[in-house]
Amino acid sequence: APAVSRLPCPKEFKESDVFVPSYDAPLTGGVLRQLPEVVDNLGQQLESAGVFEHQDVIFVCHSLGGLVVEEYLLSRKSPSDKVKLIVLLGTPQRGSFVADYVRAFSKLPLLRTVNINDVLGAMFRVDNLYLQVLQRRWNDNPITSNILLACGYESAPTYGVLVVGEESATELCKNKPRDKIGPVRGNHLEIVKM
C-alpha cells in the first residue's frame, strides 16, 4: 500500500492541512491499463483522510500525478466544487518527447529485448488520443471551468533531456486567460523539491 504523509503547516496556515498521497507509478504493463486503479486508490486515500471535509482544496501535482488528479476529478463523484486551484508541475498534457526519443533508439542491440510500449506506455507518446480526449473532457466540463490552474514547466534538462517540455506542460493552462503559466527552476525531478 502507498505511504500516506501529513506534513506540519506553518502557523499562518493553522486552519490548513497538507496531505501527501502517493502511488506506485506504473512503469510496466502500460500506464493506461493501470490508470483506473491508480485513480481509485487516490480517491480512497483522499476520502479516508477527510480531505474534502475542508472548505477549500488545492492540489499540487507533479508529472503523471497531474493526469491522475484530472482523471479523478472528471471520473468520480468527487466534490470538485471544493477544488479552488490545481498546480501542475511538469504534467505531460500532450505527452513527453522522451517516449518518442527512447522509441527512436529502441532498435539498438542493447534495447532490442525491451518492449518499449510496456516500459513507456501509450500515454507518454506525444499527442496521443487519450491525452487529447482528457483535455477535451476537462475543457468541456462546467465544474472544472471554475478551477484555477497554474502550470509550471522544467527549465533545465534531466540527464540531458527535457522530460516534459513547455508546450506539453502548459497545454491545459492556455485555454483560460486567468490561468498562470511559468518556468520552474530545475529539471523534471527538482521542480517539486523544496
Side-chain angles (χ1 to χ4, degrees), residues 34-73:
Q34 296 179 31
L35 189 60
E37 181 181 326
V38 173
V39 171
D40 285 341
N41 185 301
L42 173 66
Q44 291 169 10
Q45 289 182 61
L46 295 173
E47 185 177 311
S48 68
V51 168
F52 288 106
E53 293 172 13
H54 291 276
Q55 181 178 340
D56 297 327
V57 175
I58 297 171
F59 285 100
V60 178
C61 310
H62 177 247
S63 200
L64 179 60
L67 301 176
V68 171
V69 166
E70 290 170 39
E71 190 65 60
Y72 169 74
L73 293 173

Side-chain angles (χ1 to χ4, degrees), residues 10-162:
K11 63 182 176 184
E12 296 84 13
F13 298 100
K14 66 181 177 181
E15 299 298 319
S16 302
D17 252 342
V18 175
F19 175 72
V20 183
S22 64
Y23 60 92
D24 294 325
L27 294 177
T28 60
V31 174
L32 289 177
R33 288 192 301 269
Q34 296 179 31
L35 189 60
E37 181 181 326
V38 173
V39 171
D40 285 341
N41 185 301
L42 173 66
Q44 291 169 10
Q45 289 182 61
L46 295 173
E47 185 177 311
S48 68
V51 168
F52 288 106
E53 293 172 13
H54 291 276
Q55 181 178 340
D56 297 327
V57 175
I58 297 171
F59 285 100
V60 178
C61 310
H62 177 247
S63 200
L64 179 60
L67 301 176
V68 171
V69 166
E70 290 170 39
E71 190 65 60
Y72 169 74
L73 293 173
L74 289 169
S75 303
R76 306 300 182 264
K77 294 183 185 214
S78 63
S80 302
D81 59 319
K82 292 192 172 201
V83 179
K84 304 303 180 202
L85 170 67
I86 301 176
V87 179
L88 300 166
L89 300 169
T91 297
Q93 300 293 336
R94 294 186 62 190
S96 171
F97 289 102
V98 170
D100 294 335
Y101 179 79
V102 171
R103 193 172 322 290
F105 287 95
S106 66
K107 295 187 177 29
L108 294 173
L110 179 64
L111 296 176
R112 280 191 187 147
T113 60
V114 177
N115 184 337
I116 297 300
N117 286 326
D118 279 349
V119 173
L120 299 172
M123 178 177 288
F124 295 111
R125 281 186 242 139
V126 174
D127 289 332
N128 74 72
L129 183 60
Y130 169 78
L131 293 175
Q132 292 172 13
V133 171
L134 178 63
Q135 185 176 12
R136 194 171 315 118
R137 287 172 51 219
W138 184 269
N139 290 333
D140 293 345
N141 190 310
I143 293 173
T144 59
S145 66
N146 295 322
I147 299 173
L148 181 64
L149 298 173
C151 296
Y153 55 91
E154 59 216 57
S155 60
T158 305
Y159 304 114
V161 178
L162 286 176

